[in-house]
Each structure stands twice: as C-alpha cells, then as structure tokens.
Amino acid sequence: MASEYDAMWQGLGLDLAAHDQLLQVLGDGYGQIFLSQQERPQGMEYFNFVMSEVHGLRIKELVDGQAEGKKVIGSFCVFVPEEIVRAADATLVGLCTGADFATDLVDQILPRNTCALIKSAFGFKLGKVCPYMESADMIVGENTCDGKKKSYETLGGLVPNLYVMDLPQVKSKEGRALLAAEYQRFKQAVEELTGIKITAERLAMGIKIVNDKREALHRLYKLRAVDPAPISGLDALLINQVSFYDDPVRFTASVHKICDELEERIKAGQGVAPKGTPRLLFSGCPMAVPNWKVPWIVESSGAVVVGEESCVGERGTRNLVQPQGDDLDSMMEAIVERYWQIDCAVFTPNPEREEHVKQMAADYGAKGVIHYGLQFCQPYQMEALPLEKKLEATGLPVLRVETDYSMEDVEQLKTRVEAFLEMLA
Ligand code: BJ8
C-alpha cells in the first residue's frame, strides 16, 4: 500500500514490501489489543496517534532534524544517559524491538538459544524494516548480558556506526569508577558526533528535559495506586514504550495531560475495571513495542496491571539526576549516581531489585506478581527463582512466566494466568 512516507523509507534503505507487512501486523495487533479496551482515558488518543505515526511522522521529524544538522542516537539499554545526548541537541531513540522478524536470516548468524529481544533487533536490521536503526547516526551497544555483548560483535559487521559502551556488573568502587569513565568517554563521542561541546549550561538543560520526563511518569505511576485503577496496565505500558521514541518535551506535556484526566477520574471514582479487580505487578525483562502479549492475556483474563518493575517501567525511570553544584563535574557525577542505582539483573549480587519489587507491590496494592522472563534470558531467569521464594515468603504470590515473541503459547499462558487469578481470589 502506497504511503506518503514511501520515498523517505526508501531513502533510509527499508524494504518497502516487508515494511508494509510489518505495519499491517502492527496496526491489526494495536486495534485488537488497545482500541478494543473499555473506558480508556481520552488522553490515550495522543498515544494512539504517536503509535500510528511511529514509523511515519516521528521518523520524518528525525530526518528533518538531521537535514538541519541534528543527530540521532539509537540505544538498546536504559544505561545510555539521555541527558548527555540532549545536551548536544541530539535525540536518543530506543532500538529494542518486541516482535519476531526475518527469523530465517537471524538464525543464520545468531545461536537459536538467544533471547527474543536480541533476535528481534537483528531481525529488524536484516529484514530492513526499522527506520530508527536506519536513521541513527550512532548506535550504542552496551556490555550488559552475555547475549547482548557478544551479539554486538556480529552487529558491528552489519552497521557502520556501532559504539560499544562498557558497563560494570558488580556494584563496587571499581564498578562505579568504570561507569563514570564510560560516561565521560560517551560524552566525548557525542561531542565528536555532533560537533557540539557539552557545556555546563547545555548539560543542565539536558538534565532538566529528562528529569521532567521522568517526573511526569512518576506522577502517572502514583495515580495507578488507586482502586479502581484509572488506567489499564496496557495503556500505561504503552506510555512507557512511547517514552523511548517521542520528543521528550511533547511527551512530558502529554503525560501530564493524561494525569490531569486520571485525577478527575479518581475524584469521580471512575476506573477501567471495577473496584476490587485483582491487581498485579509485572517484574522482569523489558517489553519493547509491540510486545504486549502477556499484559494483554492478564488484563483480558479479568485482572488489572498496576505497575511494571522492568526497564520499560520503573527500573528505567526511577530516580532523578540531582546535581550538587552547577559545574560540569557535579552534573556528570550526579548522572553517574542516578544510573548507578539501576538494578538490572546483569549485576551480581542485585539485592535492590527484590526491595523494589516489594515496595512497588505495597505502594500499588498488588496482590500478586507476574515474573516475566524471556526464554534464554539468563540474568532474569536466574534471579526469578530466588526472587519468587523471597516474595512468597512475605505472602506475595508469584506466577513465573517464561516466553518469547511467538503467539504459540497464548492459550497455555491464559490457562496459567486464570489459575493464578483464581488462587488470588
Ligand atoms: S538495564 S534489563 S535494558 S540490559 S532480555 S537482552 S538481559 S538476555 S534487556 Fe536490559 Fe539494560 Fe539491563 Fe534494562 Fe539480555 Fe535478558 Fe535478552 Fe535483556
């Protein structure tokens, strides 16, 4: 089907036929999962629009910006500090993807037992269907889990602009020093890419933009603590997902707008599901667009999701950057401090994550936790069992789900979720 963006997509090197196919599947899935929900807040119309234009208008904005000299940086991880990118007038976009694509090609270069998130990024590259990856001036790969760090060696042969960021795996003095050194190196690389010297003034502006975005999301999270829940977990997840693509200032304003509406709903006692609907928390691997499978199963089985502990959720947005001074060093130090607190399962040991899950469950009144693990994701699978035991010891039941991006296990998952909900009743 011809689109006004065909020339732009072609210019980026996309395979138009394959890309059309992807957009068709995405649009159908979105309609079925999101647009069929009852009692959606009106403010979701903005996010519907963003999703309908996620490969169109948003890419045009990025490409138009590039024509004016602005750069686009793609990332696979919430450890890449957006503050530094914004300080150089560049845009950070998420490159993780939540759907299988070109799997036959991926299987030729990655082991089959690689997690779906990594395979998906490669599939979108090999299938030539990701305008974010194709428009990025720099792609940042980060040394986190073994799958990602080793796959970047292969990705380096597929893209001309891969920058690898080393990251610590132990929260030691040495680990923190490595993070600080890597953020300095990244700052320098961004300066070289953009030709812009990052001054204290510029970094303060970058910090403010990103802090504002996170504060808006924090406001949204707090409103979900109310029973009846004023917004579905699916819609809240979508807002989190959109935060990786949208213009941050516009996104922040749109989140506040929907929060205003949710406050009105709360005053009126209006929710997306009746008061007393079982409330669940998601914990585990990140869910990138269009990975909506398990939350969709959960919410269409009669529960409401009230929080996401993952990186597309509070692990990615918890804490603000709070500099102690207005010089460059203080700001860089505050950035390190903020990101140092991320409790990704690649850290060993990683006790903070358990505390965060418990805290979130208490704050949002969750009666159970769904631990979402992608097949072949060792860090989160390894943490799942001990975490489950510790949570259950405190009276918080856990349903451990291990899945991928295929739809083959939908019925089986539905049966398990329904049994879990019955047990909670
Ligand atoms: S900070 S969670 S975004 S690394 S699912 S690729 S861990 S095998 S995504 Fe992550 Fe950064 Fe950590 Fe967050 Fe590996 Fe697991 Fe796959 Fe994963």
Side-chain angles (χ1 to χ4, degrees):
M1 201 171 51
S3 152
E4 60 183 303
Y5 302 116
D6 277 356
M8 175 181 78
W9 290 330
Q10 223 153 12
L12 290 172
L14 297 194
D15 175 335
L16 284 191
H19 185 245
D20 268 3
Q21 207 187 330
L22 174 74
L23 290 189
Q24 182 70 45
V25 174
L26 247 176
D28 291 351
Y30 193 78
Q32 191 190 354
I33 295 173
F34 285 90
L35 303 182
S36 63
Q37 294 178 97
Q38 304 295 311
E39 304 288 334
R40 285 185 98 202
Q42 290 221 319
M44 284 312 296
E45 272 171 28
Y46 172 75
F47 298 95
N48 287 342
F49 175 72
V50 173
M51 283 307 294
S52 69
E53 290 290 340
V54 74
H55 279 200
L57 195 56
R58 182 61 185 137
I59 298 297
K60 186 171 180 318
E61 286 179 346
L62 297 179
V63 170
D64 288 350
Q66 283 172 317
E68 292 165 11
K70 293 190 176 165
K71 301 294 181 189
V72 176
I73 298 180
S75 136
F76 298 101
C77 180
V78 298
F79 264 103
V80 178
E82 187 175 1
E83 294 82 352
I84 293 176
V85 175
R86 299 298 326 172
D89 270 350
T91 302
L92 188 73
V93 291
L95 295 179
C96 287
T97 44
D100 292 330
F101 208 85
T103 43
D104 48 337
L105 299 176
V106 178
D107 285 346
Q108 290 170 27
I109 58 169
L110 290 182
R112 274 176 179 267
N113 58 351
T114 303
C115 91
L117 194 143
I118 298 172
K119 279 190 181 173
S120 171
F122 274 73
F124 275 51
K125 173 69 206 167
L126 295 170
K128 300 183 189 159
V129 291
C130 180
Y132 290 94
M133 197 172 294
E134 301 308 330
S135 61
D137 298 287
M138 177 198 271
I139 293 176
V140 185
E142 72 322 315
N143 287 344
T144 45
C145 64
D146 284 352
K148 273 181 162 181
K149 105 178 117 194
K150 294 304 287 182
S151 72
Y152 295 138
E153 293 173 17
T154 307
L155 187 65
L158 301 177
V159 299
N161 49 2
L162 182 69
Y163 172 96
V164 177
M165 178 182 280
D166 200 14
L167 287 179
Q169 311 214 325
V170 178
K171 296 230 168 143
S172 58
K173 199 166 113 247
E174 293 76 14
R176 200 177 188 288
L178 172 61
L179 188 68
E182 281 295 289
Y183 282 1
Q184 287 293 347
R185 189 170 71 87
F186 180 61
K187 175 171 147 296
Q188 208 178 329
V190 172
E191 287 175 335
E192 279 164 20
L193 177 77
T194 58
I196 290 176
K197 182 90 194 135
I198 297 178
T199 58
E201 205 185 2
R202 282 188 159 275
L203 194 54
M205 183 248 326
I207 289 172
K208 179 167 174 9
I209 290 172
V210 184
N211 274 351
D212 286 352
K213 174 161 93 166
R214 294 197 179 118
E215 265 182 321
L217 286 167
H218 297 171
R219 184 180 169 205
L220 172 69
Y221 301 154
K222 279 209 186 96
L223 296 174
R224 297 171 72 192
V226 177
D227 189 10
I231 185 168
S232 68
L234 274 166
D235 279 338
L237 172 66
L238 186 80
I239 294 172
N240 274 301
Q241 291 174 332
V242 165
S243 74
F244 288 84
Y245 302 97
D246 200 7
D247 171 79
V249 176
R250 187 174 56 205
F251 173 84
T252 300
S254 306
V255 176
H256 280 302
K257 196 165 165 218
I258 201 168
C259 286
D260 291 342
E261 184 187 347
L262 298 186
E263 280 173 358
E264 290 305 315
R265 286 185 152 214
I266 290 167
K267 268 191 226 151
Q270 189 188 353
V272 286
K275 196 173 166 65
T277 297
R279 299 165 69 83
L280 297 179
L281 180 73
F282 262 89
S283 172
C285 294
M287 292 175 189
V289 172
N291 179 5
W292 304 309
K293 180 172 75 175
V294 184
W296 172 57
I297 291 171
V298 167
E299 294 205 320
S300 56
S301 300
V304 62
V305 178
V306 292
E308 297 77 27
E309 179 267 337
S310 89
C311 283
V312 184
E314 299 202 19
R315 192 184 315 123
T317 56
R318 188 176 285 123
N319 301 319
L320 303 179
V321 173
Q322 293 176 314
Q324 300 301 308
D326 52 13
D327 57 297
L328 204 52
D329 286 349
S330 305
M331 286 186 232
M332 285 299 289
E333 170 57 26
I335 289 173
V336 173
E337 180 55 28
R338 188 259 159 201
Y339 285 84
W340 183 239
Q341 296 174 60
I342 296 175
D343 55 352
C344 173
V346 299
F347 281 94
T348 180
N350 188 33
E352 295 88 358
R353 186 166 160 237
E354 177 197 336
E355 294 312 314
H356 283 142
V357 176
K358 283 184 192 159
Q359 190 60 52
M360 285 181 71
D363 288 349
Y364 304 138
K367 295 287 172 263
V369 174
I370 307 261
H371 190 281
Y372 175 83
L374 280 173
Q375 232 173 17
F376 309 122
C377 170
Q378 285 182 345
Y380 284 92
Q381 300 284 7
M382 287 277 185
E383 279 194 2
L385 253 174
L387 182 66
E388 175 182 322
K389 283 196 181 130
K390 284 174 188 157
L391 294 178
E392 292 198 333
T394 68
L396 198 56
V398 178
L399 176 68
R400 214 164 6 103
V401 167
E402 190 183 329
T403 187
D404 55 19
Y405 291 168
S406 79
M407 298 304 270
E408 280 165 19
D409 57 355
V410 166
E411 286 310 315
Q412 188 207 358
L413 286 172
K414 202 163 169 48
T415 307
R416 290 187 64 211
V417 167
E418 284 168 356
F420 186 62
L421 291 177
E422 256 172 48
M423 192 199 79
L424 293 182

